[in-house]
Coordinates of all heavy atoms in Angstrom, one line a residue:
M5 N -28.0 31.6 -62.4 CA -27.1 30.5 -62.7 C -25.7 31.0 -62.7 O -25.3 31.9 -63.3 CB -27.5 30.0 -64.1 CG -26.8 28.7 -64.4 SD -27.2 28.0 -66.0 CE -28.9 27.5 -65.8
S6 N -24.8 30.3 -61.9 CA -23.4 30.7 -61.8 C -22.6 30.2 -63.0 O -23.1 29.4 -63.8 CB -22.8 30.1 -60.5 OG -22.7 28.7 -60.6
K7 N -21.4 30.6 -63.0 CA -20.5 30.2 -64.1 C -20.2 28.7 -64.1 O -20.2 28.1 -65.2 CB -19.2 31.0 -64.0 CG -18.3 30.8 -65.2 CD -17.0 31.6 -65.1 CE -16.1 31.4 -66.2 NZ -14.9 32.1 -66.2
E8 N -20.1 28.1 -62.9 CA -19.8 26.7 -62.8 C -21.0 25.9 -63.3 O -20.8 24.8 -63.9 CB -19.5 26.3 -61.4 CG -18.1 26.8 -61.0 CD -17.8 26.4 -59.5 OE1 -18.5 25.5 -59.0 OE2 -16.9 27.0 -58.9
E9 N -22.2 26.3 -63.1 CA -23.4 25.6 -63.5 C -23.5 25.6 -65.1 O -24.1 24.7 -65.7 CB -24.6 26.1 -62.9 CG -24.7 25.8 -61.4 CD -25.8 26.5 -60.7 OE1 -26.5 27.3 -61.3 OE2 -26.0 26.3 -59.5
K10 N -23.1 26.7 -65.7 CA -23.2 26.8 -67.1 C -22.2 25.9 -67.8 O -22.5 25.3 -68.9 CB -22.9 28.3 -67.6 CG -24.0 29.2 -67.2 CD -23.6 30.6 -67.7 CE -24.6 31.7 -67.2 NZ -24.2 33.0 -67.6
N11 N -21.0 25.7 -67.3 CA -20.0 24.9 -68.0 C -20.0 23.5 -67.3 O -19.2 23.2 -66.5 CB -18.6 25.6 -67.8 CG -17.5 24.8 -68.6 OD1 -17.8 24.0 -69.4 ND2 -16.3 25.1 -68.3
T12 N -20.9 22.7 -67.8 CA -21.0 21.3 -67.3 C -20.3 20.3 -68.1 O -20.2 19.2 -67.7 CB -22.5 20.9 -67.2 OG1 -23.1 21.0 -68.6 CG2 -23.3 21.8 -66.3
S13 N -19.7 20.7 -69.2 CA -18.9 19.8 -70.0 C -17.5 20.3 -70.2 O -17.3 21.5 -70.4 CB -19.6 19.7 -71.4 OG -18.9 18.9 -72.2
G14 N -16.5 19.4 -70.0 CA -15.1 19.8 -70.2 C -14.7 19.9 -71.6 O -15.3 19.3 -72.5
T15 N -13.6 20.6 -71.8 CA -13.0 20.7 -73.1 C -12.1 19.4 -73.4 O -11.8 18.7 -72.5 CB -12.1 21.9 -73.3 OG1 -11.0 21.9 -72.4 CG2 -13.0 23.2 -73.0
F16 N -11.7 19.3 -74.6 CA -10.8 18.2 -75.0 C -9.5 18.2 -74.1 O -9.0 17.2 -73.6 CB -10.5 18.3 -76.5 CG -9.4 17.3 -76.9 CD1 -9.8 15.9 -77.0 CD2 -8.1 17.6 -77.1 CE1 -8.8 15.0 -77.4 CE2 -7.1 16.7 -77.5 CZ -7.5 15.4 -77.6
M17 N -8.9 19.4 -73.9 CA -7.7 19.6 -73.2 C -7.9 19.2 -71.7 O -7.0 18.6 -71.1 CB -7.1 21.0 -73.3 CG -6.5 21.2 -74.7 SD -5.2 20.0 -75.2 CE -4.0 20.4 -73.9
Q18 N -9.0 19.6 -71.1 CA -9.3 19.2 -69.7 C -9.4 17.7 -69.6 O -8.8 17.1 -68.6 CB -10.6 19.8 -69.3 CG -10.5 21.3 -69.0 CD -11.9 21.9 -68.7 OE1 -12.9 21.5 -69.3 NE2 -11.9 22.8 -67.7
V19 N -10.0 17.0 -70.5 CA -10.1 15.6 -70.5 C -8.8 15.0 -70.7 O -8.4 14.0 -69.9 CB -11.1 15.1 -71.6 CG1 -11.1 13.5 -71.6 CG2 -12.5 15.6 -71.3
A20 N -8.0 15.4 -71.6 CA -6.7 14.9 -71.9 C -5.7 15.1 -70.7 O -5.0 14.1 -70.3 CB -6.0 15.6 -73.1
K21 N -5.8 16.2 -70.0 CA -5.0 16.4 -68.8 C -5.4 15.5 -67.7 O -4.5 15.0 -67.0 CB -5.0 17.9 -68.4 CG -4.2 18.8 -69.3 CD -4.6 20.3 -69.1 CE -3.9 20.8 -67.9 NZ -4.1 22.3 -67.7
A22 N -6.7 15.4 -67.5 CA -7.2 14.5 -66.4 C -6.8 13.1 -66.7 O -6.4 12.4 -65.7 CB -8.7 14.6 -66.3
V23 N -6.9 12.6 -67.9 CA -6.5 11.2 -68.2 C -5.0 11.0 -68.1 O -4.6 10.0 -67.5 CB -7.0 10.8 -69.6 CG1 -6.5 9.5 -70.1 CG2 -8.6 10.8 -69.6
L24 N -4.3 11.9 -68.5 CA -2.8 11.8 -68.4 C -2.4 11.8 -67.0 O -1.5 11.0 -66.6 CB -2.1 12.9 -69.2 CG -0.6 12.9 -69.2 CD1 -0.1 11.6 -69.9 CD2 0.0 14.1 -69.9
A25 N -2.9 12.7 -66.2 CA -2.6 12.7 -64.7 C -3.1 11.4 -64.1 O -2.4 10.9 -63.2 CB -3.3 13.9 -64.1
A26 N -4.2 10.8 -64.5 CA -4.6 9.6 -63.9 C -3.7 8.4 -64.3 O -3.4 7.6 -63.5 CB -6.0 9.3 -64.4
F27 N -3.2 8.4 -65.5 CA -2.2 7.4 -65.9 C -0.9 7.5 -65.1 O -0.3 6.5 -64.7 CB -1.9 7.6 -67.4 CG -2.9 7.0 -68.3 CD1 -2.7 7.1 -69.7 CD2 -4.0 6.3 -67.9 CE1 -3.6 6.5 -70.6 CE2 -4.9 5.7 -68.8 CZ -4.7 5.9 -70.1
M28 N -0.5 8.7 -64.8 CA 0.8 8.9 -64.0 C 0.5 8.8 -62.5 O 1.5 8.6 -61.8 CB 1.4 10.3 -64.4 CG 1.9 10.3 -65.8 SD 2.8 11.8 -66.2 CE 1.8 13.1 -65.7
G29 N -0.7 9.0 -62.1 CA -1.0 8.9 -60.7 C -0.8 10.1 -59.9 O -0.6 10.1 -58.7
I30 N -0.7 11.3 -60.6 CA -0.4 12.5 -59.9 C -1.5 13.5 -60.2 O -2.0 13.6 -61.4 CB 0.9 13.2 -60.3 CG1 1.1 13.3 -61.8 CG2 2.1 12.3 -59.7 CD1 2.3 14.1 -62.2
R31 N -2.0 14.2 -59.2 CA -3.0 15.3 -59.4 C -3.2 16.0 -58.1 O -3.3 15.4 -57.1 CB -4.3 14.6 -59.9 CG -5.4 15.5 -60.5 CD -4.9 16.0 -61.8 NE -6.1 16.6 -62.5 CZ -5.9 17.4 -63.5 NH1 -4.7 17.6 -64.0 NH2 -6.9 17.9 -64.1
K32 N -3.3 17.3 -58.2 CA -3.6 18.1 -57.1 C -5.1 18.0 -56.7 O -5.9 17.7 -57.6 CB -3.4 19.6 -57.3 CG -1.9 20.0 -57.4 CD -1.7 21.5 -57.4 CE -2.0 22.1 -58.7 NZ -1.7 23.5 -58.8
Q33 N -5.4 18.0 -55.4 CA -6.8 17.9 -54.9 C -7.7 18.9 -55.6 O -8.8 18.5 -56.0 CB -6.8 18.0 -53.4 CG -8.2 17.7 -52.8 CD -8.6 16.2 -53.0 OE1 -7.8 15.3 -53.0 NE2 -9.9 16.0 -53.0
S34 N -7.2 20.1 -55.7 CA -8.1 21.1 -56.3 C -8.4 20.8 -57.8 O -9.5 21.0 -58.3 CB -7.5 22.5 -56.2 OG -6.2 22.5 -56.9
D35 N -7.4 20.3 -58.5 CA -7.7 19.9 -59.9 C -8.6 18.7 -60.0 O -9.4 18.7 -60.9 CB -6.3 19.6 -60.6 CG -5.5 20.8 -60.8 OD1 -6.0 21.9 -60.8 OD2 -4.2 20.6 -61.0
L36 N -8.4 17.8 -59.1 CA -9.3 16.6 -59.1 C -10.8 17.0 -58.8 O -11.7 16.6 -59.5 CB -8.9 15.7 -58.0 CG -9.7 14.4 -57.8 CD1 -9.7 13.5 -59.0 CD2 -9.3 13.6 -56.6
E37 N -11.0 18.0 -57.9 CA -12.3 18.5 -57.6 C -12.9 19.2 -58.8 O -14.1 19.1 -59.1 CB -12.3 19.3 -56.4 CG -12.0 18.5 -55.1 CD -11.8 19.4 -53.9 OE1 -11.7 20.7 -54.0 OE2 -11.6 18.9 -52.8
N38 N -12.1 20.0 -59.5 CA -12.5 20.7 -60.6 C -12.9 19.8 -61.8 O -13.9 20.0 -62.4 CB -11.4 21.7 -61.1 CG -11.8 22.6 -62.2 OD1 -13.0 22.9 -62.4 ND2 -10.9 23.0 -63.0
D39 N -12.1 18.7 -61.9 CA -12.4 17.7 -63.0 C -13.8 17.0 -62.6 O -14.6 16.8 -63.5 CB -11.3 16.6 -63.1 CG -10.1 17.2 -63.7 OD1 -10.1 18.3 -64.3 OD2 -9.0 16.5 -63.5
A40 N -14.0 16.7 -61.4 CA -15.2 16.0 -61.0 C -16.4 16.9 -61.2 O -17.5 16.4 -61.6 CB -15.1 15.6 -59.5
A41 N -16.2 18.2 -61.1 CA -17.4 19.1 -61.3 C -17.6 19.4 -62.7 O -18.8 19.7 -63.1 CB -17.1 20.4 -60.5
N42 N -16.6 19.4 -63.6 CA -16.7 19.8 -65.0 C -16.8 18.7 -66.0 O -17.3 18.9 -67.1 CB -15.6 20.8 -65.3 CG -15.7 22.1 -64.6 OD1 -16.8 22.5 -64.3 ND2 -14.6 22.7 -64.3
L43 N -16.2 17.6 -65.7 CA -16.2 16.5 -66.7 C -17.3 15.5 -66.5 O -17.6 15.1 -65.4 CB -14.8 15.8 -66.6 CG -13.6 16.7 -66.9 CD1 -12.3 15.8 -66.7 CD2 -13.6 17.3 -68.2
K44 N -17.8 15.0 -67.6 CA -18.8 14.0 -67.6 C -18.1 12.6 -67.5 O -17.1 12.5 -68.1 CB -19.7 14.1 -68.8 CG -20.6 15.4 -68.8 CD -21.4 15.4 -70.1 CE -22.2 16.7 -70.1 NZ -22.9 16.9 -71.4
P45 N -18.7 11.7 -66.9 CA -18.1 10.3 -66.8 C -17.8 9.8 -68.2 O -16.8 9.1 -68.4 CB -19.1 9.5 -66.1 CG -19.9 10.5 -65.2 CD -19.9 11.7 -66.0
A46 N -18.7 10.0 -69.2 CA -18.5 9.5 -70.5 C -17.3 10.1 -71.2 O -16.5 9.4 -71.9 CB -19.8 9.8 -71.4
Q47 N -17.0 11.4 -70.9 CA -15.8 12.0 -71.5 C -14.6 11.3 -70.9 O -13.6 11.1 -71.7 CB -15.8 13.5 -71.1 CG -16.8 14.3 -71.8 CD -16.8 15.7 -71.3 OE1 -16.9 16.0 -70.1 NE2 -16.7 16.7 -72.3
V48 N -14.6 11.1 -69.6 CA -13.4 10.5 -69.0 C -13.2 9.0 -69.5 O -12.1 8.6 -69.8 CB -13.5 10.5 -67.5 CG1 -12.3 9.9 -66.8 CG2 -13.6 12.0 -67.0
I49 N -14.3 8.3 -69.6 CA -14.2 6.9 -70.1 C -13.6 6.8 -71.5 O -12.7 6.1 -71.8 CB -15.5 6.2 -70.0 CG1 -15.9 6.0 -68.5 CG2 -15.5 4.9 -70.7 CD1 -17.3 5.6 -68.3
I50 N -14.2 7.7 -72.4 CA -13.7 7.7 -73.8 C -12.3 8.2 -73.8 O -11.5 7.6 -74.6 CB -14.7 8.6 -74.6 CG1 -16.0 7.9 -74.8 CG2 -14.1 8.8 -76.0 CD1 -17.1 8.8 -75.4
G51 N -11.9 9.2 -73.1 CA -10.6 9.7 -73.0 C -9.6 8.6 -72.5 O -8.5 8.5 -73.0
G52 N -10.0 7.9 -71.5 CA -9.2 6.8 -71.0 C -9.0 5.7 -72.0 O -7.9 5.1 -72.1
L53 N -10.0 5.3 -72.7 CA -9.9 4.3 -73.8 C -9.0 4.7 -74.9 O -8.1 4.0 -75.4 CB -11.3 3.9 -74.3 CG -12.2 3.1 -73.4 CD1 -13.6 3.0 -74.0 CD2 -11.6 1.8 -73.0
I54 N -9.1 6.0 -75.3 CA -8.2 6.5 -76.4 C -6.8 6.6 -75.9 O -5.9 6.2 -76.6 CB -8.7 7.9 -76.8 CG1 -10.0 7.8 -77.6 CG2 -7.7 8.6 -77.7 CD1 -10.7 9.1 -77.9
G55 N -6.6 7.0 -74.6 CA -5.3 7.1 -74.0 C -4.6 5.7 -73.9 O -3.4 5.6 -74.2
A56 N -5.4 4.7 -73.5 CA -4.9 3.4 -73.3 C -4.5 2.8 -74.7 O -3.5 2.1 -74.8 CB -5.9 2.5 -72.6
T57 N -5.4 3.1 -75.7 CA -5.1 2.6 -77.0 C -3.8 3.2 -77.6 O -3.0 2.5 -78.2 CB -6.3 2.9 -78.0 OG1 -7.4 2.3 -77.4 CG2 -6.0 2.3 -79.4
L58 N -3.6 4.5 -77.4 CA -2.4 5.1 -77.9 C -1.2 4.6 -77.2 O -0.1 4.4 -77.8 CB -2.5 6.7 -77.7 CG -3.6 7.3 -78.7 CD1 -3.7 8.8 -78.3 CD2 -3.1 7.2 -80.1
F59 N -1.3 4.4 -75.9 CA -0.2 3.8 -75.1 C 0.2 2.5 -75.6 O 1.4 2.2 -75.8 CB -0.6 3.8 -73.6 CG 0.5 3.2 -72.8 CD1 1.6 3.9 -72.5 CD2 0.3 1.9 -72.2 CE1 2.6 3.4 -71.7 CE2 1.3 1.4 -71.4 CZ 2.5 2.1 -71.1
V60 N -0.7 1.6 -75.8 CA -0.4 0.2 -76.3 C 0.2 0.3 -77.7 O 1.2 -0.4 -78.0 CB -1.7 -0.7 -76.3 CG1 -1.5 -2.0 -77.0 CG2 -2.1 -0.9 -74.8
I61 N -0.4 1.1 -78.6 CA 0.2 1.2 -79.9 C 1.6 1.7 -79.9 O 2.5 1.2 -80.6 CB -0.7 2.1 -80.8 CG1 -2.0 1.3 -81.1 CG2 0.0 2.5 -82.1 CD1 -3.1 2.2 -81.8
S62 N 1.9 2.7 -79.1 CA 3.2 3.3 -79.0 C 4.2 2.2 -78.4 O 5.3 2.2 -78.9 CB 3.2 4.6 -78.1 OG 2.9 4.3 -76.8
I63 N 3.8 1.4 -77.5 CA 4.7 0.4 -77.0 C 5.0 -0.7 -78.0 O 6.1 -1.1 -78.2 CB 4.0 -0.3 -75.7 CG1 4.0 0.7 -74.5 CG2 4.8 -1.6 -75.3 CD1 5.3 1.2 -74.0
L64 N 3.9 -1.1 -78.8 CA 4.1 -2.0 -79.9 C 5.1 -1.5 -80.9 O 5.9 -2.2 -81.4 CB 2.8 -2.4 -80.5 CG 1.9 -3.2 -79.6 CD1 0.5 -3.4 -80.3 CD2 2.5 -4.6 -79.3
V65 N 4.9 -0.2 -81.3 CA 5.8 0.4 -82.3 C 7.2 0.5 -81.8 O 8.2 0.2 -82.5 CB 5.3 1.8 -82.7 CG1 6.3 2.6 -83.5 CG2 4.0 1.7 -83.5
L66 N 7.4 0.9 -80.5 CA 8.7 0.9 -79.9 C 9.4 -0.4 -79.9 O 10.6 -0.6 -80.3 CB 8.6 1.5 -78.5 CG 9.9 1.7 -77.8 CD1 10.8 2.7 -78.5 CD2 9.7 2.1 -76.3
V67 N 8.7 -1.5 -79.5 CA 9.2 -2.8 -79.5 C 9.6 -3.3 -80.9 O 10.7 -3.9 -81.1 CB 8.2 -3.8 -78.9 CG1 8.7 -5.3 -79.1 CG2 8.1 -3.5 -77.4
K68 N 8.7 -3.0 -81.9 CA 9.0 -3.4 -83.3 C 10.3 -2.7 -83.8 O 11.1 -3.3 -84.4 CB 7.8 -3.0 -84.2 CG 8.0 -3.5 -85.6 CD 6.7 -3.4 -86.3 CE 6.9 -4.0 -87.7 NZ 5.8 -4.9 -88.1
I69 N 10.5 -1.4 -83.4 CA 11.7 -0.7 -83.9 C 12.9 -1.3 -83.2 O 13.9 -1.5 -83.9 CB 11.5 0.8 -83.5 CG1 10.5 1.5 -84.4 CG2 12.9 1.6 -83.6 CD1 10.1 2.9 -84.0
I70 N 12.8 -1.6 -81.9 CA 14.0 -2.1 -81.2 C 14.3 -3.5 -81.8 O 15.5 -3.8 -81.9 CB 13.7 -2.2 -79.7 CG1 13.7 -0.7 -79.2 CG2 14.8 -3.0 -79.0 CD1 13.2 -0.6 -77.7
V71 N 13.4 -4.3 -82.0 CA 13.6 -5.7 -82.5 C 14.2 -5.6 -83.9 O 15.1 -6.4 -84.3 CB 12.3 -6.5 -82.5 CG1 12.5 -7.8 -83.3 CG2 11.9 -6.8 -81.1
N72 N 13.8 -4.6 -84.7 CA 14.4 -4.5 -86.1 C 15.7 -3.9 -86.2 O 16.3 -3.9 -87.2 CB 13.4 -3.7 -87.0 CG 12.1 -4.5 -87.3 OD1 12.2 -5.7 -87.4 ND2 11.1 -3.8 -87.6
L73 N 16.3 -3.4 -85.1 CA 17.6 -2.9 -85.1 C 18.7 -3.9 -85.2 O 19.8 -3.6 -85.7 CB 17.9 -2.1 -83.8 CG 17.1 -0.7 -83.7 CD1 17.4 -0.1 -82.3 CD2 17.5 0.2 -84.8
N74 N 18.4 -5.1 -84.9 CA 19.4 -6.2 -85.0 C 19.6 -6.6 -86.4 O 19.4 -7.0 -87.3 CB 19.0 -7.4 -84.1 CG 19.0 -7.0 -82.6 OD1 19.7 -6.1 -82.3 ND2 18.2 -7.7 -81.8

């Protein structure tokens, strides 16, 4: 069994980097292939949902702060 076959699940940081790169729309082909080999679809889906939730909450907080400045 090779090293790649043993590591079938990605770490939290790998998922976070993949989701952030997907949100920004930038990623090297080699990193994309590495993510496809190491990350499970469920990890990416959950990471995407968490990332989207954090993004929406941060936008809402930013708007609330700006509106309260007046």
Side-chain angles (χ1 to χ4, degrees):
M5 190 179 287
S6 70
K7 185 177 180 181
E8 288 181 17
E9 291 174 353
K10 289 180 185 176
N11 187 14
T12 58
S13 180
T15 65
F16 174 77
M17 287 306 294
Q18 287 175 318
V19 174
K21 286 168 75 175
V23 169
L24 183 61
F27 279 177
M28 293 188 305
I30 55 171
R31 195 71 166 162
K32 288 192 280 185
Q33 184 69 28
S34 60
D35 290 338
L36 179 64
E37 292 168 357
N38 188 25
D39 290 343
N42 292 328
L43 300 179
K44 295 178 183 176
Q47 290 176 306
V48 177
I49 291 169
I50 293 169
L53 290 173
I54 291 170
T57 303
L58 291 174
F59 177 74
V60 169
I61 290 171
S62 65
I63 294 296
L64 290 173
V65 168
L66 181 64
V67 168
K68 187 169 183 132
I69 290 171
I70 291 172
V71 169
N72 287 334
L73 288 177
N74 292 335

